[in-house]
Coordinates of all heavy atoms in Angstrom, one line a residue:
M1 N 108.2 112.9 87.7 CA 107.5 113.9 86.9 C 106.1 113.6 86.7 O 105.7 112.5 86.3 CB 108.3 113.9 85.6 CG 108.0 115.2 84.7 SD 109.0 115.2 83.2 CE 107.7 115.2 82.0
T2 N 105.2 114.5 86.9 CA 103.8 114.3 86.7 C 103.4 114.4 85.2 O 103.8 115.3 84.5 CB 102.9 115.5 87.4 OG1 103.4 115.6 88.7 CG2 101.4 115.1 87.5
P3 N 102.6 113.4 84.8 CA 102.3 113.5 83.3 C 101.3 114.6 83.1 O 100.5 115.0 83.9 CB 101.5 112.1 83.1 CG 101.4 111.5 84.4 CD 102.2 112.3 85.4
T4 N 101.4 115.2 81.9 CA 100.7 116.3 81.5 C 99.3 115.9 80.8 O 99.4 114.9 80.1 CB 101.5 117.2 80.6 OG1 102.7 117.5 81.2 CG2 100.7 118.5 80.3
C5 N 98.3 116.7 80.9 CA 97.1 116.4 80.4 C 97.2 116.5 78.9 O 97.8 117.4 78.4 CB 96.2 117.5 80.8 SG 94.6 117.5 80.0
P6 N 96.6 115.4 78.2 CA 96.8 115.4 76.8 C 95.8 116.3 76.0 O 95.9 116.5 74.8 CB 96.5 113.9 76.3 CG 95.7 113.4 77.4 CD 96.0 114.2 78.7
A7 N 95.0 117.0 76.7 CA 94.0 117.8 76.1 C 94.5 119.4 76.1 O 94.5 120.0 75.0 CB 92.6 117.9 76.8
C8 N 95.0 119.8 77.3 CA 95.4 121.3 77.3 C 96.9 121.2 77.4 O 97.5 122.5 77.1 CB 94.9 121.9 78.6 SG 95.3 121.1 80.0
H9 N 97.8 120.3 77.6 CA 99.1 120.3 77.6 C 99.7 121.2 78.5 O 100.9 121.6 78.4 CB 99.7 120.5 76.2 CG 99.2 119.4 75.2 ND1 99.7 118.2 75.0 CD2 98.4 119.7 74.2 CE1 99.1 117.6 74.1 NE2 98.3 118.5 73.5
T10 N 99.0 121.6 79.6 CA 99.5 122.6 80.5 C 99.4 122.0 81.9 O 100.3 122.1 82.7 CB 98.9 124.0 80.5 OG1 97.4 123.8 80.5 CG2 99.3 124.6 79.1
R11 N 98.1 121.7 82.3 CA 97.9 121.2 83.7 C 98.3 119.8 83.8 O 98.3 119.0 82.8 CB 96.3 121.4 83.9 CG 96.1 122.8 84.2 CD 94.6 123.0 84.5 NE 93.8 122.5 83.3 CZ 93.1 123.4 82.5 NH1 93.3 124.8 82.7 NH2 92.4 123.0 81.5
P12 N 98.6 119.4 85.0 CA 99.0 118.0 85.2 C 97.7 117.1 85.2 O 96.7 117.6 85.5 CB 99.5 117.9 86.6 CG 99.1 119.2 87.3 CD 98.8 120.2 86.2
R13 N 97.8 115.9 84.7 CA 96.7 114.9 84.7 C 96.5 114.5 86.0 O 97.3 114.4 87.0 CB 97.2 113.7 83.9 CG 96.3 113.2 83.0 CD 97.1 112.2 82.0 NE 97.4 111.0 82.9 CZ 98.2 110.0 82.3 NH1 98.6 110.0 81.2 NH2 98.5 109.1 83.1
R14 N 95.2 114.3 86.4 CA 94.7 113.8 87.6 C 95.2 112.3 87.8 O 95.0 111.5 86.8 CB 93.2 113.9 87.9 CG 92.9 115.4 88.1 CD 91.4 115.5 88.3 NE 90.9 115.1 89.5 CZ 89.7 115.1 89.8 NH1 88.8 115.5 89.0 NH2 89.2 114.7 91.0
P15 N 95.6 111.9 89.0 CA 96.1 110.6 89.1 C 94.9 109.6 88.9 O 93.8 109.8 89.3 CB 96.4 110.4 90.6 CG 96.8 111.9 91.0 CD 95.8 112.7 90.2
G16 N 95.1 108.6 88.1 CA 94.1 107.6 87.9 C 93.1 108.1 86.8 O 92.0 107.3 86.5
Q17 N 93.3 109.3 86.1 CA 92.3 109.7 85.2 C 93.1 110.1 84.0 O 94.3 110.2 84.0 CB 91.5 111.0 85.6 CG 90.4 110.4 86.7 CD 89.5 111.7 87.1 OE1 89.9 112.9 86.8 NE2 88.4 111.2 87.6
Y18 N 92.6 110.3 82.8 CA 93.2 110.6 81.6 C 93.4 112.0 81.3 O 94.3 112.3 80.5 CB 92.3 109.9 80.4 CG 92.2 108.4 80.5 CD1 90.9 107.9 80.5 CD2 93.2 107.7 80.6 CE1 90.8 106.6 80.8 CE2 93.0 106.3 80.7 CZ 91.8 105.7 80.7 OH 91.5 104.4 80.9
L19 N 92.7 112.9 81.9 CA 92.8 114.4 81.7 C 92.9 115.1 83.0 O 92.8 114.6 84.1 CB 91.6 114.9 80.9 CG 91.2 114.2 79.6 CD1 89.9 114.7 79.1 CD2 92.3 114.4 78.6
C20 N 93.3 116.4 82.9 CA 93.3 117.2 84.1 C 91.8 117.4 84.6 O 90.9 117.2 83.8 CB 93.9 118.6 83.9 SG 93.0 119.7 82.7
G21 N 91.6 117.9 85.8 CA 90.2 118.1 86.3 C 89.4 118.8 85.5 O 88.1 118.5 85.2
P22 N 89.7 120.1 85.1 CA 88.8 121.0 84.4 C 88.4 120.4 83.0 O 87.3 120.5 82.6 CB 89.5 122.2 84.2 CG 90.6 122.3 85.3 CD 90.8 120.8 85.6
D23 N 89.4 119.7 82.4 CA 89.1 119.0 81.0 C 88.3 117.8 81.2 O 87.2 117.6 80.4 CB 90.4 118.7 80.3 CG 91.2 120.0 79.9 OD1 90.4 121.0 79.7 OD2 92.3 120.0 79.6
W24 N 88.5 117.1 82.2 CA 87.7 115.9 82.4 C 86.3 116.3 82.6 O 85.3 115.6 82.1 CB 88.2 115.2 83.6 CG 87.5 113.9 84.1 CD1 86.7 113.7 85.1 CD2 87.6 112.6 83.4 NE1 86.2 112.4 85.2 CE2 86.7 111.7 84.1 CE3 88.1 112.1 82.3 CZ2 86.5 110.5 83.8 CZ3 88.1 110.8 81.9 CH2 87.3 110.1 82.7
A25 N 86.0 117.4 83.4 CA 84.7 117.9 83.7 C 83.9 118.3 82.4 O 82.7 118.4 82.5 CB 84.7 119.0 84.7
Q26 N 84.7 118.6 81.3 CA 84.1 119.1 80.2 C 83.6 117.9 79.2 O 82.7 118.1 78.3 CB 85.0 120.0 79.4 CG 85.2 121.3 80.0 CD 86.2 122.1 79.0 OE1 85.7 122.5 77.8 NE2 87.3 122.4 79.5
L27 N 84.1 116.7 79.4 CA 83.5 115.5 78.7 C 82.2 115.3 78.9 O 81.8 115.4 80.0 CB 84.4 114.4 79.0 CG 85.9 114.3 78.7 CD1 86.5 113.0 79.2 CD2 86.1 114.4 77.2
P28 N 81.4 114.8 77.8 CA 80.0 114.4 78.0 C 80.0 113.3 79.1 O 81.0 112.5 79.2 CB 79.6 113.8 76.7 CG 80.6 114.4 75.8 CD 81.9 114.6 76.5
T29 N 79.0 113.2 79.8 CA 78.8 112.2 80.9 C 78.9 110.8 80.4 O 79.6 110.0 81.0 CB 77.3 112.3 81.6 OG1 77.2 113.7 81.9 CG2 77.2 111.4 82.8
A30 N 78.4 110.5 79.2 CA 78.6 109.1 78.6 C 80.1 108.8 78.3 O 80.5 107.7 78.6 CB 77.8 109.1 77.3
A31 N 80.8 109.8 77.8 CA 82.2 109.5 77.6 C 82.9 109.3 79.0 O 83.8 108.4 79.1 CB 82.8 110.7 76.9
R32 N 82.6 110.2 80.0 CA 83.3 109.9 81.2 C 83.1 108.5 81.9 O 83.9 107.9 82.4 CB 82.9 111.0 82.3 CG 83.5 112.4 82.1 CD 83.6 113.1 83.4 NE 82.2 113.3 84.0 CZ 81.4 114.4 83.7 NH1 81.7 115.4 82.9 NH2 80.2 114.3 84.2
R33 N 81.8 108.2 81.6 CA 81.3 106.8 82.2 C 82.1 105.7 81.5 O 82.6 104.8 82.2 CB 79.9 106.7 82.1 CG 79.4 105.6 83.0 CD 77.8 105.4 82.8 NE 77.2 106.7 83.3 CZ 76.2 107.2 82.5 NH1 75.9 106.7 81.4 NH2 75.6 108.2 83.0
A34 N 82.1 105.8 80.2 CA 82.8 104.8 79.4 C 84.3 104.7 79.8 O 84.9 103.6 79.9 CB 82.7 105.0 78.0
L35 N 85.0 105.9 79.9 CA 86.4 105.9 80.1 C 86.7 105.4 81.6 O 87.8 105.0 81.9 CB 87.0 107.3 79.9 CG 87.0 107.8 78.6 CD1 87.3 109.2 78.4 CD2 88.2 107.0 77.7
S36 N 85.8 105.6 82.6 CA 86.0 105.2 83.9 C 85.7 103.7 84.1 O 85.9 103.2 85.2 CB 85.1 106.0 84.8 OG 85.3 107.4 84.6
A37 N 85.0 103.1 83.1 CA 84.6 101.7 83.3 C 85.6 100.7 83.6 O 86.7 100.8 83.0 CB 83.7 101.2 82.1
R38 N 85.5 100.0 84.6 CA 86.5 98.9 85.1 C 86.2 97.7 84.2 O 85.1 97.5 83.7 CB 86.5 98.6 86.6 CG 86.4 99.7 87.4 CD 87.8 99.9 87.9 NE 88.0 101.3 88.5 CZ 89.2 102.0 88.6 NH1 90.2 101.3 88.1 NH2 89.4 103.2 89.2
G39 N 87.2 96.9 84.2 CA 87.1 95.6 83.6 C 88.1 95.3 82.5 O 89.3 95.4 82.8
D40 N 87.6 94.9 81.4 CA 88.5 94.5 80.3 C 89.6 95.5 80.0 O 89.3 96.6 79.6 CB 87.6 94.3 79.1 CG 88.3 93.6 77.9 OD1 89.6 93.9 77.8 OD2 87.8 92.8 77.3
R41 N 90.8 95.2 80.1 CA 92.0 96.0 80.0 C 92.1 96.4 78.5 O 92.4 97.6 78.2 CB 93.2 95.4 80.6 CG 94.3 96.4 80.9 CD 95.4 95.8 81.6 NE 96.5 96.6 81.6 CZ 96.6 97.7 82.2 NH1 95.7 98.1 83.2 NH2 97.7 98.5 82.2
G42 N 91.9 95.4 77.6 CA 92.1 95.7 76.1 C 91.0 96.7 75.8 O 91.4 97.6 74.9
K43 N 89.8 96.6 76.2 CA 88.7 97.7 75.9 C 89.1 98.9 76.4 O 89.0 100.0 75.7 CB 87.5 97.2 76.4 CG 86.7 96.3 75.4 CD 85.3 96.3 75.8 CE 84.4 95.5 74.8 NZ 83.1 95.0 75.3
A44 N 89.6 99.1 77.6 CA 90.0 100.4 78.2 C 91.1 101.0 77.3 O 91.1 102.2 77.2 CB 90.6 100.0 79.7
M45 N 92.0 100.1 76.8 CA 93.1 100.8 76.0 C 92.5 101.3 74.6 O 92.9 102.3 74.2 CB 94.2 99.7 75.7 CG 95.0 99.3 77.0 SD 95.8 100.6 77.9 CE 97.0 101.2 76.5
A46 N 91.5 100.5 74.1 CA 90.8 101.0 72.9 C 90.1 102.3 73.1 O 90.1 103.1 72.3 CB 90.0 99.8 72.4
R47 N 89.4 102.5 74.3 CA 88.7 103.6 74.5 C 89.7 104.8 74.7 O 89.4 105.9 74.2 CB 88.0 103.6 75.9 CG 86.8 102.4 75.8 CD 85.9 102.6 77.0 NE 85.1 101.5 77.1 CZ 85.2 100.5 78.0 NH1 86.3 100.6 78.8 NH2 84.4 99.5 78.1
L48 N 90.9 104.5 75.4 CA 91.9 105.6 75.6 C 92.4 106.0 74.2 O 92.6 107.3 73.8 CB 93.0 105.1 76.4 CG 94.1 106.2 76.9 CD1 93.4 107.3 77.3 CD2 95.1 105.4 77.7
R49 N 92.5 105.0 73.2 CA 92.9 105.5 71.9 C 91.9 106.2 71.2 O 92.3 107.2 70.4 CB 93.2 104.2 71.0 CG 94.6 103.6 71.3 CD 94.9 102.7 70.1 NE 94.1 101.6 70.1 CZ 94.2 100.5 70.8 NH1 95.3 100.3 71.6 NH2 93.5 99.4 70.7
E50 N 90.6 105.9 71.4 CA 89.5 106.8 70.8 C 89.6 108.1 71.3 O 89.5 109.1 70.5 CB 88.2 106.2 71.2 CG 87.6 105.1 70.3 CD 86.1 105.0 70.5 OE1 85.7 104.6 71.8 OE2 85.4 105.2 69.6
L51 N 89.9 108.4 72.6 CA 90.0 109.7 73.1 C 91.1 110.5 72.6 O 91.0 111.5 72.2 CB 90.2 109.5 74.8 CG 90.5 110.8 75.4 CD1 89.3 111.8 75.3 CD2 90.9 110.6 76.9
H52 N 92.3 109.8 72.4 CA 93.4 110.4 72.0 C 93.3 110.7 70.5 O 93.8 112.0 70.1 CB 94.7 109.6 72.2 CG 95.2 109.7 73.7 ND1 96.0 108.8 74.1 CD2 94.8 110.3 74.7 CE1 96.3 109.1 75.4 NE2 95.5 110.1 75.8
H53 N 92.7 110.0 69.7 CA 92.5 110.3 68.3 C 91.6 111.6 68.1 O 91.8 112.4 67.4 CB 91.7 109.1 67.6 CG 92.7 108.1 67.2 ND1 92.3 106.8 67.0 CD2 93.9 108.0 66.7 CE1 93.3 106.0 66.8 NE2 94.4 106.8 66.4
Q54 N 90.6 111.6 69.0 CA 89.6 112.8 68.9 C 90.5 114.0 69.3 O 90.2 115.1 68.7 CB 88.4 112.5 69.6 CG 87.6 111.4 68.9 CD 86.4 111.0 69.7 OE1 85.4 111.7 69.8 NE2 86.5 109.8 70.3
L55 N 91.2 113.9 70.4 CA 92.0 115.0 70.9 C 92.9 115.5 69.8 O 93.0 116.8 69.5 CB 92.7 114.8 72.1 CG 92.0 114.5 73.4 CD1 92.9 114.0 74.5 CD2 91.3 115.7 73.7
A56 N 93.5 114.6 69.1 CA 94.5 114.9 68.0 C 93.9 115.5 66.8 O 94.4 116.3 66.1 CB 95.3 113.5 67.6
A57 N 92.6 115.1 66.6 CA 91.8 115.8 65.5 C 91.2 117.0 65.8 O 90.6 117.8 65.0 CB 90.7 114.8 65.1
G58 N 91.4 117.6 67.1 CA 90.9 118.9 67.5 C 89.4 118.8 67.9 O 88.7 119.9 67.9
T59 N 88.9 117.7 68.2 CA 87.5 117.6 68.6 C 87.2 118.3 69.9 O 88.0 118.1 70.9 CB 87.1 116.1 68.7 OG1 87.4 115.4 67.6 CG2 85.6 116.0 69.1
P60 N 86.3 119.2 70.1 CA 86.1 119.9 71.3 C 85.7 118.8 72.3 O 85.0 117.9 72.1 CB 84.9 120.8 71.1 CG 84.9 120.9 69.6 CD 85.5 119.6 69.0
L61 N 86.3 119.2 73.6 CA 86.0 118.1 74.7 C 84.6 117.7 74.9 O 84.2 116.6 75.1 CB 86.7 118.7 76.1 CG 88.0 118.7 76.0 CD1 88.6 119.5 77.4 CD2 88.7 117.2 76.1
A62 N 83.7 118.7 74.8 CA 82.2 118.4 75.0 C 81.6 117.6 73.8 O 80.5 117.1 74.0 CB 81.5 119.9 75.0
N63 N 82.3 117.4 72.7 CA 81.8 116.6 71.6 C 82.5 115.3 71.5 O 82.2 114.5 70.6 CB 82.0 117.3 70.3 CG 81.2 118.7 70.2 OD1 80.4 118.8 71.0 ND2 81.5 119.4 69.2
I64 N 83.3 115.0 72.4 CA 84.1 113.7 72.3 C 83.1 112.4 72.7 O 82.3 112.6 73.6 CB 85.2 113.5 73.3 CG1 86.4 114.5 72.6 CG2 85.7 112.2 73.6 CD1 87.6 114.6 73.3
Q65 N 83.2 111.4 71.8 CA 82.3 110.2 72.0 C 83.2 109.1 72.1 O 84.1 108.9 71.2 CB 81.3 110.1 70.9 CG 80.3 111.2 70.8 CD 79.2 111.0 69.7 OE1 79.5 110.5 68.6 NE2 78.0 111.6 69.9
I66 N 82.8 108.3 73.2 CA 83.5 106.9 73.2 C 82.6 105.8 72.8 O 81.6 105.7 73.5 CB 84.1 106.8 74.6 CG1 85.0 107.9 75.1 CG2 84.8 105.4 74.8 CD1 86.2 108.2 74.2
T67 N 82.9 105.1 71.7 CA 81.9 104.2 71.2 C 82.3 102.8 71.6 O 81.4 101.9 71.5 CB 81.9 104.3 69.6 OG1 83.3 104.0 69.1 CG2 81.6 105.7 69.2
L68 N 83.5 102.5 72.0 CA 83.8 101.1 72.4 C 83.3 100.7 73.7 O 83.2 101.5 74.6 CB 85.3 101.0 72.3 CG 85.8 101.0 70.8 CD1 87.4 101.1 70.8 CD2 85.3 100.0 69.8
Ligands
ZN101 ZN1 93.9 119.5 80.6

């Protein structure tokens, strides 16, 4: 079963990314870069939590900020 995108809940998530293609493209460049950064796994999980918190709060994709 393909995981569903946590932003739109309709389209499948792209492999290796956190959102579907159209939603990923709406994220600010800085947020995309932070979420794509390789390295510290703990930090990557913290960034993912930031993304999910903002999605749960109804933050528009274009306004999402990843600070960690
Ligand atoms: Zn989506």
